[in-house]
Amino acid sequence: GIRHGRVHEGPVSTLDLGGTWLDYAGVSSMAPGMTTSSLRSILAQDMSLPRRPHVSSGYLEWRTVIKEMPTSPEDPTLTSYKLICAKSPKGMKGAPKSATPFPAGEPWHIMLYDVTRDPDDLLPLEQLRPDVIAELLPLLPEGWCR
């Protein structure tokens, strides 16, 4: 069973509930493009499996990826960075209040936050951490923000 009060520190998403239900139902392969993962091993407390490297999500005009990685080249402490890519001004609906406006004439708007230290997305980091953006961009679906 699932132990009461257990906390899993790795990245997961509510989107993983779908993959978990499909896993328990015996479905062995996901539909093309699904980024869900089963949480079954976590629920079964199988800690021998490797942690998931990142979580991605999206809807209509935006995509996001969250990855646990060192805070900086000088600080190896792990944190979780969230990159958001908006495809149009419509993709900014629901964006963090601290996000800068969609840049006129640009095809994309990139936002970056440290969700461990800044869970409310109050401090945009896109100007301060281009290295993190460069590492997270390839994790977005093909054709997004590139």
Side-chain angles (χ1 to χ4, degrees):
I2 302 167
R3 188 175 61 207
H4 176 73
R6 185 166 186 282
V7 175
H8 175 72
E9 298 294 334
V12 297
S13 168
T14 55
L15 296 175
D16 294 330
L17 294 174
T20 304
W21 296 324
L22 291 170
D23 185 12
Y24 275 105
V27 176
S28 60
S29 63
M30 305 293 169
M34 286 186 76
T35 59
T36 184
S37 292
S38 175
L39 302 176
R40 188 175 190 166
S41 63
I42 295 168
L43 297 174
Q45 301 175 15
D46 182 355
M47 300 313 286
S48 65
L49 296 173
R51 288 173 68 150
R52 184 177 185 175
H54 67 278
V55 173
S56 61
S57 180
Y59 183 71
L60 297 178
E61 300 290 317
W62 62 268
R63 298 292 181 270
T64 188
V65 63
I66 300 171
K67 182 178 180 183
E68 187 176 67
M69 52 197 294
T71 299
S72 71
E74 300 79 31
D75 182 357
T77 307
L78 292 179
T79 194
S80 292
Y81 286 105
K82 172 173 60 176
L83 179 119
I84 304 168
C85 173
K87 190 175 187 178
S88 71
K90 286 195 289 187
M92 298 295 289
K93 184 177 181 184
K97 293 187 185 334
S98 62
T100 56
F102 196 93
E106 295 292 326
W108 309 102
H109 185 41
I110 296 173
M111 297 156 271
L112 180 70
Y113 296 93
D114 179 336
V115 296
T116 302
R117 290 181 170 80
D118 179 22
D120 296 320
D121 298 337
L122 299 175
L123 179 63
L125 299 174
E126 50 274 5
Q127 298 300 318
L128 301 172
R129 296 306 309 271
D131 57 316
V132 173
I133 291 172
E135 185 167 339
L136 296 179
L137 279 177
L139 301 177
L140 289 170
E142 186 67 36
W144 280 86
C145 276
R146 296 181 251 152

